[in-house]
Amino acid sequence: NIKVSKEYFVFDDFYHEVIDEMHSFLKKGQKLIVNSLVNKQIHSDKKILRHIFNNLIVNSTKYTEEGKNIYCDAKINENQLIITVKDEGIGIPEADQKHLFTRFFRAHNVENIKGTGLGLNIVKHHVELLGGTISFQSELGVGTVFIVELPLDTI
């Protein structure tokens, strides 16, 4: 049971703090390439946002080989915060994609990589608590991109 606790904060300050924490999860030679165009105050739940970022970025590092890149972008489009996390990882088999947000589901090509199958289910729940949506595109051997769209009250 998670309660949403919104506060006003400057998004870019928060975003760069979270991104700095993520560097410890990178594998050898991986780079986290970051972009943000949200240098304004927003009204949202920092704890829930942090969890969304953490899970998506950690997953990207986990399923991407050493020496490859992970991209994290944030922008505001009208009254929506749009977060994109893209990797150059193993990708998700097409047959598994429809189950990706199901509790305890793990794609067939990740059986040798540690995980519980709960992370994306929880992320989807957190995104929905903030009134948003999450979608993805993936191609085997090319990578995956997750797109989170959250409605915002901006100042």
Side-chain angles (χ1 to χ4, degrees), residues 19-68:
I19 294 300
D20 286 346
E21 295 168 6
M22 295 292 94
H23 286 289
S24 64
F25 292 98
L26 296 175
K27 293 179 187 171
K28 184 178 180 181
Q30 284 183 338
K31 290 183 185 159
L32 184 53
I33 299 168
V34 182
N35 186 31
S36 176
L37 303 171
V38 189
N39 196 17
K40 55 174 73 174
Q41 196 171 48
I42 66 167
H43 188 234
S44 192
D45 187 308
K46 285 172 119 176
K47 186 176 180 182
I48 292 175
L49 274 177
R50 183 180 302 275
H51 181 79
I52 291 167
F53 276 114
N54 287 353
N55 190 279
L56 292 177
I57 293 170
V58 168
N59 274 1
S60 288
T61 63
K62 189 187 318 186
Y63 301 115
T64 299
E65 297 173 2
E66 292 181 355
K68 301 244 178 156

Side-chain angles (χ1 to χ4, degrees), residues 73-91:
D73 296 313
K75 66 181 180 180
I76 289 183
N77 185 4
E78 299 192 14
N79 258 3
Q80 273 195 323
L81 174 64
I82 301 171
I83 299 164
T84 306
V85 178
K86 178 183 174 188
D87 64 47
E88 299 173 345
I90 61 175

